[in-house]
Amino acid sequence: ETGVTQTPRHLVMGMTNKKSLKCEQHLGHNAMYWYKQSAKKPLELMFVYSLEERVENNSVPSRFSPECPNSSHLFLHLHTLQPEDSALYLCASSLYWSGTDTQYFGPGTRLTVL
Amino acid sequence: AQSVTQLDSQVPVFEEAPVELRCNYSSSVSVYLFWYVQYPNQGLQLLLKYLSGSTLVKGINGFEAEFNKSQTSFHLRKPSVHISDTAEYFCAVNKETSGSRLTFGEGTQLTVNP
């Protein structure tokens, strides 16, 4: 595998379920990101990890819980979600947490909350 | 805080016609500027970015963009489009003084018709 991969690609869950999204990057990067992409809205940055430390948390509800066990893997743990949380969740990585670095995106996980 | 406005939500064009996708931004500090493309069922891919130097930036797939500081614009152009350019295009900005915290526009859907 090359680039940034995300699993699963599609996920349907009830409001009381607990699930996790997984992201893996094979680029040797040191920064990883979670974004939410909703219809008709700009991409929203949720979390940023740099060298495995969280450096950004954009007022995201606590029902979303990120985890970065090493520089290649990023998880988003989900629990007690709401229907408005249905969206495409994109993972990205960059060489460093720098404004000049290009972010490389995975294909996303399409989440539907019933 | 910075913001990005993509002036057209949808742009339909015929194959081999020229196209311009417009992007304006507002920021109280200097910014870096990016254009990303998203093909159906895929993540975002960088087309080009402006960091410094020449205001005309060339990217992949024949696209180019011009940074205009006085008009706070970063319009994307291609002289002759192909069917395969059909996708959603996102303009994004990042403050020079911060880590990577991209602010995205709402996107422009480019549809190239035969």
Side-chain angles (χ1 to χ4, degrees):
Chain A
E1 290 268 23
T2 58
V4 181
T5 58
Q6 291 186 242
T7 53
R9 293 293 309 274
H10 300 271
L11 178 63
V12 179
M13 58 187 290
M15 292 168 60
T16 58
N17 291 158
K18 289 185 180 181
K19 296 286 184 183
S20 296
L21 310 185
K22 179 183 176 182
C23 175
E24 184 172 2
Q25 58 94 2
H26 309 266
L27 300 168
H29 288 171
N30 297 286
M32 297 188 77
Y33 311 78
W34 278 117
Y35 287 90
K36 178 182 180 182
Q37 186 178 26
S38 304
K40 309 299 182 187
K41 292 177 68 176
L43 271 78
E44 302 170 54
L45 179 63
M46 301 175 70
F47 301 104
V48 182
Y49 278 82
S50 174
L51 299 170
E52 300 156 41
E53 286 195 25
R54 192 190 310 180
V55 296
E56 189 86 354
N57 177 347
N58 272 350
S59 304
V60 179
S62 60
R63 58 186 184 270
F64 295 90
S65 174
E67 178 189 4
C68 187
N70 55 63
S71 60
S72 298
H73 294 86
L74 185 64
F75 294 88
L76 188 63
H77 304 300
L78 316 172
H79 65 96
T80 324
L81 293 191
Q82 306 297 312
E84 60 265 29
D85 296 323
S86 298
L88 182 68
Y89 288 85
L90 291 165
C91 173
S93 70
S94 62
L95 183 57
Y96 295 106
W97 186 49
S98 163
T100 59
D101 281 356
T102 298
Q103 291 188 23
Y104 294 80
F105 285 79
T109 295
R110 175 70 63 187
L111 174 67
T112 303
V113 181
L114 302 176
Chain B
Q2 63 266 29
S3 66
V4 178
T5 302
Q6 292 185 241
L7 296 155
D8 305 293
S9 60
Q10 298 194 45
V11 174
V13 295
F14 288 109
E15 194 172 17
E16 298 183 5
V19 71
E20 178 179 81
L21 306 184
R22 297 179 294 167
C23 173
N24 285 93
Y25 69 93
S26 66
S27 176
S28 56
V29 299
S30 296
V31 295
Y32 301 122
L33 295 152
F34 302 78
W35 274 100
Y36 281 85
V37 61
Q38 186 176 30
Y39 298 103
N41 301 314
Q42 295 186 29
L44 280 68
Q45 177 185 0
L46 181 74
L47 276 177
L48 49 79
K49 61 183 176 182
Y50 172 79
L51 304 181
S52 66
S54 172
T55 57
L56 183 62
V57 181
K58 294 191 183 297
I60 62 170
N61 301 340
F63 284 93
E64 63 181 32
E66 185 149 23
F67 169 54
N68 187 319
K69 188 173 183 179
S70 62
Q71 297 192 7
T72 60
S73 68
F74 191 54
H75 301 332
L76 182 70
R77 302 185 183 98
K78 187 170 182 178
S80 175
V81 294
H82 304 292
I83 300 283
S84 59
D85 292 322
T86 295
E88 187 140 26
Y89 292 77
F90 294 93
C91 182
V93 302
N94 198 107
K95 288 193 293 187
E96 283 188 5
T97 54
S98 76
S100 187
R101 295 184 178 90
L102 289 172
T103 298
F104 284 87
E106 293 190 10
T108 297
Q109 175 64 43
L110 173 66
T111 302
V112 181
N113 298 301

